[in-house]
């Protein structure tokens, strides 16, 4: 209703019916979104977390078999499933270009800082303490 319209029982009742219709439509759309998008996405992410050790023995890389918005699901599921080592990377196939992508996982929702994998260095790659010794070559 507008401020300059007459307030009668009928106009108030019609305004109420409009509000009920609008609220019902919004509620129906939200339920539909949860059932048709959010829940399936959560299932895909849960499956990726459960199968992460088949992707990499560290369990810190997950592969989505079906792309979906995954980050919020992953943060919640890591806690719920008691994931000990945080997941650092997510592999997924780009829907449009059909190319595989890898994305680093941020430290938390809304953060631009990524979780980091500690650098693995084997003995052959270590820098020598004696400066007279040459560095190992890339071919070695």
């Amino acid at each position: 209703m507008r401020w300059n319209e007459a307030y009668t029982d009928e106009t108030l009742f019609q305004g109420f019916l409009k509000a009920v219709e609008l609220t019902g439509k919004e509620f129906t759309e939200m339920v539909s979104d949860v059932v048709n998008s959010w829940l399936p996405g959560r299932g895909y992410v849960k499956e990726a977390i459960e199968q992460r050790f088949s992707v990499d023995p560290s369990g810190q890389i997950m592969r989505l078999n079906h792309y979906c918005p995954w980050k919020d699901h992953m943060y919640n599921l890591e806690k719920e499933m008691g994931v000990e080592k945080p997941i650092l990377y997510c592999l997924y196939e780009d829907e449009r270009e059909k190319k595989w992508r890898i994305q680093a996982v941020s430290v938390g929702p809304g953060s631009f800082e990524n979780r980091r994998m500690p650098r693995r260095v084997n003995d052959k790659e270590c820098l020598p303490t004696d400066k007279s010794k040459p560095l190992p070559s890339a071919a070695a």
Side-chain angles (χ1 to χ4, degrees):
M1 286 187 61
R2 291 184 181 87
W3 67 271
N4 57 355
E5 289 181 339
Y7 285 90
T8 65
D9 287 344
E10 182 59 28
T11 58
L12 289 175
F13 183 67
Q14 291 304 316
F16 174 74
L17 291 178
K18 280 184 182 179
V20 167
E21 181 183 355
L22 179 64
T23 304
K25 192 182 276 186
E26 189 73 23
F27 178 74
T28 302
E29 287 176 13
M30 292 297 292
V31 170
S32 176
D33 187 52
V34 166
V35 170
N36 297 312
S37 181
W38 189 86
L39 281 175
R42 181 179 167 86
Y44 296 147
V45 175
K46 184 174 184 184
E47 177 184 12
I49 291 172
E50 290 170 344
Q51 296 176 357
R52 70 191 187 281
F53 289 100
S54 66
V55 176
D56 183 75
S58 73
Q60 293 186 293
I61 301 172
M62 71 176 198
R63 176 183 177 233
L64 284 173
N65 293 320
H66 304 279
Y67 179 78
C68 63
W70 54 273
K71 291 179 187 175
D72 287 336
H73 291 306
M74 189 211 65
Y75 296 126
N76 292 329
L77 287 166
E78 276 183 325
K79 288 178 189 170
E80 289 175 26
M81 298 169 72
V83 173
E84 292 180 22
K85 285 177 146 181
I87 296 167
L88 302 177
Y89 300 100
C90 178
L91 295 167
Y92 59 89
E93 187 175 18
D94 182 289
E95 293 270 320
R96 288 178 286 163
E97 297 182 33
K98 301 296 182 197
K99 293 181 181 177
W100 281 95
R101 309 277 186 205
I102 185 164
Q103 187 170 356
V105 176
S106 60
V107 294
S111 175
F112 290 103
E113 181 182 351
N114 292 329
R115 297 174 177 180
R116 298 180 192 239
M117 182 175 280
R119 177 164 157 68
R120 295 180 186 168
V121 178
N122 68 34
D123 293 340
K124 292 179 184 175
E125 294 176 352
C126 289
L127 295 174
T129 54
D130 182 352
K131 302 290 182 195
S132 65
K133 293 182 181 176
L135 294 175
S137 67

